[in-house]
Amino acid sequence: MIESSDMTSLAGKNAIVTGASSGIGAATARKLAAAGANVMLVARRRDRLEKLAAELGPAATTLELDLGGADAAQALLDAATSRFGKTDILINNAGILRTSHVDSFDLAELEPLITINYTTVVRTSLLFARQMKANGAGQIVNLSSIGASLTAAGTGVYGGLKAALERFTDVLRIELAGSGVRVGLIAPGTTTTEIFADMKQKGQPGWDEFIPPMVPDDIAKAVLFMCEQTGNANAARMHIYATSEGF
């Protein structure tokens, strides 16, 4: 249960966190709830969502949703409008990582990678941006990766999608300037989460095995900071590196 003394900076705000069943999403949900927000936890794994909701208490609600579905963005907006009426904060955190060289990339994984890491994020951002603009206020935070800035073998599709997401996010911020809607981008460095599970299952070392990585709470702190901005301030872009990373 979140202590009431922690409910301060985001008191009364309604927030959505995608990919909330583990990792950065779960850590972010904890931070937002601790700051006073009502949080909708969105992911596919109902059991994990319900466990986290029980931990967070009355401030949390859950939505079991496959963000790889064609209608996922609209379904999320409809659910949020039904439960909250007005959404103040949208955290597009959900993502998947697939890395392979040209000779071994599984083309069956291409469309899910595009949909979850880019298409659904764009659709969701646009739908909620329109609603937030009509309300005169809101905060959208899109999670990218430092992979968007790296050119390394095996990362062309993942890094390319993150780079495209960064361009979209920057333009969305510009288009919403003066509307009361803040848009921000957070690009984490190596953070130990389940995103590396697919690599490890295929016998590849996870990127978090090469250096001492960050933990999800490190990124969640940055998300909270972005959401706490007031007045004319908009924390538009944050890159969070592990101290041992030298990119």
Side-chain angles (χ1 to χ4, degrees), residues 67-79:
L67 293 169
D71 299 322
Q74 187 64 54
L76 181 55
L77 178 67
D78 292 344

Side-chain angles (χ1 to χ4, degrees), residues 87-109:
T87 298
D88 301 293
I89 299 169
L90 170 66
I91 313 296
N92 281 312
N93 162 76
I96 57 176
L97 173 65
R98 300 291 184 268
T99 61
S100 293
H101 289 241
V102 60
D103 294 327
S104 56
F105 188 87
D106 184 355
L107 291 176
E109 296 181 333

Side-chain angles (χ1 to χ4, degrees), residues 4 97 112 118 126 140 152 180 186 191 204 219:
S4 60
L97 173 65
Y118 184 75
L126 291 173
I140 296 172
I186 293 179
T191 308
Q204 305 169 15
I219 311 304

Side-chain angles (χ1 to χ4, degrees), residues 2 10 15-42 49 52-53 55-57 59-61 91 93 216-217 219-221 223-224:
I2 301 298
L10 301 181
I16 296 170
V17 181
T18 68
S21 60
S22 65
I24 293 171
T28 296
R30 291 187 179 98
K31 288 292 183 187
L32 299 183
N38 303 307
V39 184
M40 177 182 286
L41 312 172
V42 183
L49 292 179
L52 180 57
E55 173 192 334
L56 300 182
T61 182
I91 313 296
N93 162 76
D217 196 60
I219 311 304
K221 291 175 183 176
V223 176
L224 177 61

